[in-house]
Amino acid sequence: MKQIDSVTHTEEVTQVNVDNLPADTCFFADLFMRLGQQQINVDMICRPVTHSQTTQLSFTINDHELDQTVAILTDLKKQLPQLQFSFSAYNCKIVASSESMRQTPGIAGAVFDAICKADAEILLVSTGETEISILVSEADCEKALQAIRNI
C-alpha cells in the first residue's frame, strides 16, 4: 500500500508560461534574477528538453505578483520581440509528501492515478526525493486533494 504522510495545499497560484525564449541558461538567470529583485517568489519551474535555440518555460508565482511579473516579461519582450507569454491564475498547488518515497517506487503513479480518477487536470508537476507538487485549477482543487488523501 502506498503511503502519503502529509498533503498540504496553497491557493492563489498563477502559472506563467513563456514561449520562444532563448534556450540559454544565462537568459534564465537574467529572468529569475529580475523576478527575485522584485521580491517575486518563483516556486515550481518546468522546462522541456529542446534541441533548438528557443524553448518554453513554465513557473508558478502567487496570484498577487502577476502585475509585477507581466511588467518584467513586457520589458524582456522589448529586447526579444518573439517572446510570448500567457498566464493561468487562480490555481491550487498540492504537495503530497512522505519519507517512504525514498524507498517506495510507485507513489507518483498512485498520486497521478488518484487525480485521474477524480477527473482533475494536472497543469504542472514538480517532484523531489520526498514530495510531489502538483498544480491544478482552483475548480479541481478540492476533488484532487480528497483523492490524494484517500491513497
Side-chain angles (χ1 to χ4, degrees), residues 1-2 73 76 93 100 105 128:
M1 183 84 161
K2 309 301 180 220
L73 290 171
L76 284 171
K93 181 181 110 172
S100 66

Side-chain angles (χ1 to χ4, degrees), residues 14 16 61-71 87 89:
T14 295
V16 180
I61 59 171
N62 184 286
D63 284 348
H64 305 292
E65 299 167 333
L66 182 56
D67 289 343
Q68 293 172 289
T69 303
V70 168
F87 306 93

Side-chain angles (χ1 to χ4, degrees), residues 27-83:
F27 179 83
F28 297 143
D30 181 42
L31 171 60
F32 290 117
M33 291 294 290
R34 289 179 190 218
L35 293 166
Q37 289 167 353
Q38 295 300 313
Q39 302 299 306
I40 297 170
N41 186 26
V42 174
D43 189 9
M44 303 170 76
I45 301 172
C46 179
R47 176 187 174 253
V49 174
T50 184
H51 299 289
S52 68
Q53 294 180 347
T54 61
T55 191
Q56 301 169 322
L57 179 71
S58 294
F59 58 91
T60 60
I61 59 171
N62 184 286
D63 284 348
H64 305 292
E65 299 167 333
L66 182 56
D67 289 343
Q68 293 172 289
T69 303
V70 168
I72 290 167
L73 290 171
T74 300
D75 188 50
L76 284 171
K77 189 167 175 64
K78 291 175 188 173
Q79 299 167 12
L80 299 163
Q82 77 277 12
L83 197 75

Side-chain angles (χ1 to χ4, degrees), residues 9-28:
H9 76 286
T10 305
E11 295 179 358
E12 299 182 356
V13 179
T14 295
Q15 179 181 1
V16 180
N17 303 298
V18 187
D19 293 314
N20 297 324
L21 61 141
D24 176 7
T25 302
C26 294
F27 179 83
F28 297 143

Side-chain angles (χ1 to χ4, degrees), residues 7 94 114-115 118 120 136 140-149:
V7 179
I94 300 170
I115 292 174
V136 299
D140 285 346
C141 188
E142 218 30 67
K143 63 184 175 181
L145 272 169
Q146 191 59 46
I148 293 170
R149 287 181 177 137

